[in-house]
Amino acid sequence: MSPTSETAHGGRRLVIVESPAKAKTIKGYLGPGYVVEASVGHIRDLPNGAAEVPEKYTGEVRRLGVDVEHDFQPIYVVNADKKAQVRKLKELLAESDELYLATDEDREGEAIAWHLQEVLKPKVPVHRMVFHEITKDAIRAAVANPRELNTRMVDAQETRRILDRLYGYEVSPVLWKKVMRGLSAGRVQSVATRLVVERERERIAFRSAEYWDLTGTFATGRPGDPSDPSSLVARLNSVDGRRVAQGRDFGPDGRLKSDQVLHLDEANARALAAALADSSFAVRSVESKPYRRSPYAPFRTTTLQQEASRKLGFGAKSTMQVAQKLYENGFITYMRTDSTTLSDTAVAAARAQVTQLYGAGYLPDKPRTYAGKVKNAQEAHEAIRPSGDRFRTPAETGLSGDQFRLYELIWKRTVASQMKDAVGNSVTVRIGGTSSDGRDAEFSASGKTITFHGFMKAYVEGADDPNAELDDRERRLPQVAEGDALAAEEISVDGHATKPPARYTEASLVKELEEREIGRPSTYASIIGTILDRGYVFKKGTALVPSFLSFAVVNLLETHFGRLVDYDFTAKMEDDLDRIAQGEAHSVPWLKRFYFGEGDDNAGAASSAGNGDGDHLGGLKELVTDLGAIDAKEISSFPVGDGIMLRVGRYGPYVERGEKDAEGHQRADVPEEMAPDELTVAYAEELLAKPSGDFELGADPVTGNQIVAKDGRYGPYVTEILPDGTPKTGKNAVKPRTASLFKSMALDTVTINDALRLMSLPRVVGTDAEGVEITAQNGRYGPYLKKGTDSRSLTSEDQLFDITLEEALAIYAQPKQRGRAAAKPPLKELGTDPVSERPVVVKDGRFGPYVTDGETNATLRTDDSVEAITPERGYELLAEKRAKGPAKKSAKKAAKKAPAKKAPAKKATTAKKAAAKKTTAKKATATGGTATAKKTAAKKSSASSSASGSATTDA
């Protein structure tokens, strides 16, 4: 039994939750009358492949895991890695008088509870126990007030799961056939990928425009002080009544949207500045308006993800991981919610802290209420807030690191939501003058003063735009009146260029998906994780950059499955699924229309489903049946210019000019980490001009075999071409000699002599006094000497050929350095980490470059580079590493250590504990092995297996 079960020995009520951490916390609140055990997530799901489907099912049912001909009946199987846990739960249930299903109170949690009931088949009373915070009072109240399972929520979740399975298993194979094996499509992930690709297309099509304006510094002639500055800076607003063009006046093509504005170029701007140099200026108008800013609503899932990204540098996935730990340990309420509502208890707690920390002057007369803005909010319990009827301040929690920072963010936002508005004044001053050539020039300046900060004392929201001004920023202007004369201290000329639309970040993509009402907010973190893991998107700093592969995938989906990646269609599907959850529509007729279409057999489906006219649905099966019209080469080809095409091939993107095998044909690989908008004609020409293909160097004078130089996946190398008929497999197989080029060598300059020398390695340097051979070798981590099992590093690759026996013996005569080598200087300094407040640097480690703050290390990902990594990206990698927690020690080591802890006086007890540890270790190893095997299998999976990944993600 688990520790939680042992502590509840003799208990007659079994409480099942999802996670062991949650079980441990809840057990402490329920006492000895209860056994609290975890299901460890879902125990049952659709099969991951045909091999998991029971033998009685055949054909399409076996492939899909859903019987589409019989009302879309799902085929559920107990997950292989959960069978032991299910057996354990059944044993505990047999000893219990009541069963409490205490999974999360959302669709997913309701579905887990339903599956538990279906699999365990309890013969005792079953209660659905729900709560949105893990505190003593909340847990005891949940036990005292159980409810029945919500079958509508279960049906809605099942419909989503079946829909995503059909989408993933039917569309993904099309991608395998026409683009590349191993790809996946998903109801929400494909639309999210399309958003990122479309933004990159906008950047590629964008043409920058240059525009100029003037900035004037004007003095009042009075001595200044903090409340009344002596000067102000104003920007040129108009010339002769015609507004001066700013960036917003230009379209993405670099042209003005309207001819009503004045476009200043550099020459005209400088001429105007010179003509205004000696002009007199006066205040033409002063417009003052009251300023009022209300508090932000408490956090829901998406706003927490966005703000954690802006303020803490967390990715959506990291945010949810940290929030999960805070929830399970009783610090915050449930973190997957669409609601901005606070309970009466929470409002009272927040108002009490406002008075305690800021004084009664910051407390509004009435509690603030916030209406939900999310359409068809289903996951709504309450906003994300500190748990309990009295909020712990961050200092009182005992938390540290990322958990402390996220709790502090939630706490501040919650308290601020019950504070008074911030008030002040906003002022606009217009200043005019006449140039020496008679033109009228008008400048304007805006200011803002905050007379009462209100909620801003506790919290100010961040912004996606790093250049945006935050709400609490003041801009004070001098106290001037209409007609006041001002002296121009300086008139400067400023040049600007319009910028392409910014790429999405995780925060802004979450915001965009929510605003378009695509998918469920609770799934956005996993959706973004999926498109990153699948290679459709990679990160540069915090920006999400689409890969060339994603361009091919989206191109195919838009061209041949346009409705499936249409934003409005996806949002309407979400509405339909919500109506099913509310009992306003029926799932089976709806699924029939989506999969089979609006044929005669389903003529009454739309009306019987309660979905209106249903124009947006129909015919997935037909769409994926006729693939003859899809030209695989055309789908994966994109014009660059000047006859150059970008193509997405099986082994990555490449540029090509001319037809294959034709005269003048050129081809070159494109770096996979390159952002698509950086592939210009000039860069493509540069790639094509580089040497590529195989370089024949000549014949080996000894063997007669041809020696060639190639550019391989892991860099340039030389190899020999073995004669035809040479066995390549079996015990008589012959492998060609191969060697990597030195760093100082290049494909187009390496010679036959260089190649033969490289392939002669390892070189025997000689033997020591005891007759042990010393060799010089080139390894993964550089050149080194080897004598028996003793290896010593060399300082350069050239030493491999010229080091003498005496020099080698001298190296071995030195004591071998133990422990760490002398610290290498950092490759790059990134700044101070906002969590640990320690300097972050990039270092070169044994397994490649990594970022570290001296406490936490995080290896750079494939898409990161030392040159391009930004401080924000470095902080994000460290935050993700911290969120995962320390690496777990292997169970094998734990099992070995267990018997060592023996006490002669308590042999029986010790032996029992050791055995328990050993059993636990074995179970942990078995579970881990299954998970690893499953993960490996997923990579090598059949068609069905790959598609299931996408279907699960979008559920």
Side-chain angles (χ1 to χ4, degrees), residues 323-337:
Q324 180 87 32
K325 292 177 183 176
L326 290 173
Y327 167 66
E328 291 179 344
N329 289 297
F331 290 103
I332 63 171
T333 54
Y334 191 55
M335 65 286 160
R336 278 185 280 275
T337 174

Side-chain angles (χ1 to χ4, degrees), residues 464-725:
D464 292 321
D465 182 357
N467 298 316
E469 188 174 88
L470 299 183
D471 287 337
D472 62 343
R473 175 77 182 274
E474 288 190 300
R475 299 184 309 278
R476 289 188 176 272
L477 299 181
Q479 296 176 13
V480 293
E482 186 175 328
D484 286 357
L486 299 175
E489 292 183 339
E490 181 184 11
I491 303 291
S492 59
V493 179
D494 302 316
H496 311 275
T498 56
K499 296 180 179 180
R503 291 190 178 100
Y504 287 110
T505 62
E506 288 197 32
S508 60
L509 182 58
V510 164
K511 184 177 181 181
E512 185 75 14
L513 288 168
E514 185 175 36
E515 288 179 350
R516 290 179 179 268
E517 298 174 357
I518 293 170
R520 301 308 309 166
S522 59
T523 66
Y524 291 159
S526 63
I527 292 297
I528 293 173
T530 297
I531 63 176
L532 285 165
D533 293 342
R534 296 282 182 182
Y536 293 149
V537 172
F538 62 93
K539 281 190 171 184
K540 279 201 169 184
T542 58
L544 297 174
V545 184
S547 64
F548 289 107
L549 174 63
S550 69
F551 269 67
V553 169
V554 170
N555 193 24
L556 186 150
L557 293 174
E558 287 177 333
T559 306
H560 298 277
F561 302 95
R563 190 175 73 250
L564 296 184
V565 288
D566 179 78
Y567 304 130
D568 291 337
F569 167 75
T570 309
K572 286 177 181 176
M573 277 206 300
E574 206 63 52
D575 289 342
D576 289 348
L577 291 166
D578 285 331
R579 282 198 289 274
I580 291 170
Q582 294 158 12
E584 299 171 5
H586 305 293
S587 61
V588 172
W590 188 89
L591 286 168
K592 283 182 178 179
R593 288 173 45 245
F594 171 75
Y595 192 68
F596 292 115
E598 300 266 11
D600 292 338
D601 293 341
N602 296 304
S607 57
S608 63
N611 295 315
D613 59 15
D615 286 344
H616 60 287
L617 286 181
L620 173 65
K621 183 63 176 176
E622 184 179 351
L623 283 174
V624 300
T625 301
D626 183 12
L627 305 181
I630 302 178
D631 186 325
K633 184 175 181 180
E634 182 181 341
I635 282 295
S636 299
S637 301
F638 307 91
V640 178
D642 289 355
I644 303 173
M645 296 293 290
L646 179 283
R647 303 194 195 279
V648 179
R650 184 177 178 184
Y651 301 108
Y654 62 94
V655 285
E656 185 176 47
R657 175 184 275 145
E659 292 298 322
K660 188 177 181 182
D661 300 327
E663 187 177 348
H665 173 257
Q666 292 176 289
R667 171 176 167 158
D669 291 337
V670 174
E672 291 194 18
E673 69 278 4
M674 167 175 272
D677 74 336
E678 296 172 0
L679 183 60
T680 61
V681 173
Y683 187 78
E685 293 280 13
E686 188 179 318
L687 290 174
L688 292 171
K690 289 181 179 179
S692 61
D694 297 353
F695 289 80
E696 294 186 5
L697 304 180
D700 183 340
V702 176
T703 65
N705 294 338
Q706 283 292 322
I707 308 300
V708 296
K710 295 186 175 187
D711 192 8
R713 185 177 180 184
Y714 302 106
Y717 66 99
V718 290
T719 187
E720 64 179 333
I721 307 299
L722 298 177
D724 293 340

Side-chain angles (χ1 to χ4, degrees), residues 199-207 500 551 676-678:
R199 179 58 56 87
E200 196 72 9
R201 288 172 179 164
E202 292 172 10
R203 291 175 63 87
I204 292 170
F206 180 81
R207 297 295 177 265
F551 269 67
D677 74 336
E678 296 172 0

Side-chain angles (χ1 to χ4, degrees), residues 342 345-347 349-351 353 385-393 396 407 411 414-415:
L342 291 177
T345 301
V347 169
R351 288 174 65 85
Q353 281 203 325
R385 62 165 177 86
S387 60
D389 55 9
R390 177 194 172 277
F391 296 164
R392 286 168 283 189
T393 65
E396 292 173 328
Y407 179 85
W411 175 80
T414 307
V415 172

